[in-house]
Structures are given as C-alpha cells and as structure tokens.
Amino acid sequence: MAMPWMYAGRRWVATRDLQLLRYPEKSAIAQPVTAGCYISTYWITDGRYDDHMRWTVGINKRLNRDGRVYQDRTHVFTAFQDHEATVYRDGAAGPRDYHALDHPYAGLVVEVVDAESAGQRAELLEWLRSRHLPKRLAGSPAAMVTVFRPTPLPGDRMSYVKQVEGVDTRLTLLWFLQADPRECWEEYFTGLDTAVGEAGLGRVELVAPFVPTVPGTDMYVDRLR
C-alpha cells in the first residue's frame, strides 16, 4: 500500500476447505484448480496506471537485487485489469465499488470467464451486466460484482510472473460477500459455469472463494493444506 497511486487493497486467503469448493476441475487458470492459497486485490487511481507500472517494475527489480522478494511461491493468476462494470444488489444503497476493499466484506468469490472470441466478449459483458448478474445478486449475500478485462503486463516484468492470457477474450468478476462463502456456496455459487454455458457466450474457467486475512497474524496458515 506504499506504492504510488494504489489507494486501496486487501489480501484474501483460501483454506483447504475453500480450495476444494473451486470449479471447474479442468481450469485454464489453475492446474490443479486447487492451486493457490492467497490473493491480493488492489485499486489503482484512474488515469495513473502507466505511472504506477513504471514505479512498481523499478522497485521490484531493486527488491530482487536486495534479496527481499520471497521466491518460494508460484504465481497462479497475476494480472492488471481495467474496470468494465459494477452491478449492485441494492442499487444506490450501500458502499460503492471504490469502497469495496475498505469495507469489511466477509468473503470474496473470484470468477473468470472466457468468451469464444474477442468479438463475443462485448456480448458476454452486456449479458452479465444486464441479465445474469442482477438475477444472481437478488436476495443473495453478495452486495456487488465488479467486472474487469485484463491488460498485458509490461515486457520488463519480473521473470517469475507469466504474461497475461486471454487479453482479448477474458473477463474477471469479483463478488463481494457479506457472509462467509461456506455458508452460502451451495445456494448461490454452484452452477455459475452452467449458466454461462447455456447462454452460449463463453466458458467459466474458475470460480474460487476466499475469506479476508487478518493482517499482522498467522491466522489460517495451518489450514492451507
């Protein structure tokens, strides 16, 4: 959070029981689909992406030279993404999307959807925004869903971070929950892949639940595997 132009952030964790809820089994994002324990999400000030990127690449190079980057890990899904839409369950009531990483939400569900083609992604986005997400959000513990499209990482990124895939076809959805995902998984979050498939607009490549970490503690570390 000391990085320039990064104004909100939150870290989330998937304990082993949450990892086992993920689907589909054959995922283009994670192999196996249970790979990955932590995810960090950040909001970057609009119009300052290039400024932030120049700073973060430079500082990561310096930290690597100084031996201050933890290398014994695997990057499963690392991406910078542009905001495309937010769908709210309660309309104008409640926190806005720019509050989402500061508001004490109890859970996060990450959903990644690939359209069949670049041209079809706009149709997929409109279907999500106007039909699918309002229906799914109604009466659910999810207060909002933010939708993003990925952008390419710079060529001088760290060597252990692979280039972003699906830049022209992929959408990433973040569902912000007011309840622990384990309490509502069966009722609200199973079958998201079926709904997208039946619409004929793409394929769900990942649906993965997380809960927030507790900064400054080792809570959940003994429950990751």
Side-chain angles (χ1 to χ4, degrees):
M1 288 307 301
M3 292 186 179
W5 312 115
M6 191 175 279
Y7 68 88
R10 200 168 192 192
R11 195 181 193 211
W12 313 80
V13 60
T15 52
R16 185 60 180 170
D17 58 335
L18 290 170
Q19 295 167 31
L20 293 173
L21 294 176
R22 296 176 185 170
Y23 66 91
E25 183 179 355
K26 294 183 179 179
S27 167
I29 306 300
Q31 299 88 31
V33 72
T34 53
C37 302
Y38 292 98
I39 188 169
S40 296
T41 49
Y42 302 99
W43 292 167
I44 297 173
T45 306
D46 188 28
R48 292 293 187 171
Y49 170 79
D50 291 339
D51 298 331
H52 170 80
M53 187 58 69
R54 282 193 295 270
W55 191 91
T56 190
V57 168
I59 198 65
N60 274 288
K61 288 182 177 180
R62 194 186 81 184
L63 292 172
N64 267 283
R65 288 195 303 268
D66 294 346
R68 294 178 58 195
V69 176
Y70 180 68
Q71 300 288 356
D72 190 20
R73 59 177 173 170
T74 301
H75 283 256
V76 176
F77 183 54
T78 301
F80 285 82
Q81 312 219 12
D82 287 337
H83 177 254
E84 284 288 343
T86 299
V87 180
Y88 296 99
R89 182 192 60 201
D90 303 324
R96 301 293 85 189
D97 49 14
Y98 45 81
H99 299 135
L101 300 183
D102 295 314
H103 188 80
Y105 285 114
L108 175 75
V109 174
V110 178
E111 179 183 4
V112 180
V113 186
D114 280 343
E116 294 297 332
S117 66
Q120 195 181 51
R121 183 169 67 178
E123 186 180 356
L124 171 63
L125 174 62
E126 181 55 32
W127 176 78
L128 288 168
R129 177 167 40 199
S130 63
R131 298 177 58 188
H132 176 65
L133 293 178
K135 180 180 178 181
R136 283 276 181 168
L137 283 170
S140 81
M144 71 178 81
V145 182
T146 55
V147 185
F148 300 87
R149 59 176 174 84
T151 62
L153 291 170
D156 56 352
R157 69 192 182 278
M158 297 301 99
S159 60
Y160 52 78
V161 179
K162 67 179 181 179
Q163 185 54 272
V164 177
E165 299 172 344
V167 169
D168 296 322
T169 57
R170 182 164 290 171
L171 292 173
T172 302
L173 287 67
L174 302 181
W175 301 68
F176 290 93
L177 311 186
Q178 294 172 313
D180 188 305
R182 285 165 287 216
E183 298 172 1
C184 54
W185 191 255
E186 289 296 325
E187 184 175 1
Y188 293 105
F189 291 101
T190 57
L192 292 177
D193 54 344
T194 301
V196 173
E198 289 176 347
L201 296 173
R203 169 183 164 81
V204 170
E205 294 291 358
L206 181 69
V207 181
F210 296 84
V211 294
T213 61
V214 181
T217 76
D218 289 331
M219 186 176 291
Y220 304 118
V221 170
D222 60 345
R223 295 163 55 188
L224 301 180
R225 294 175 176 82

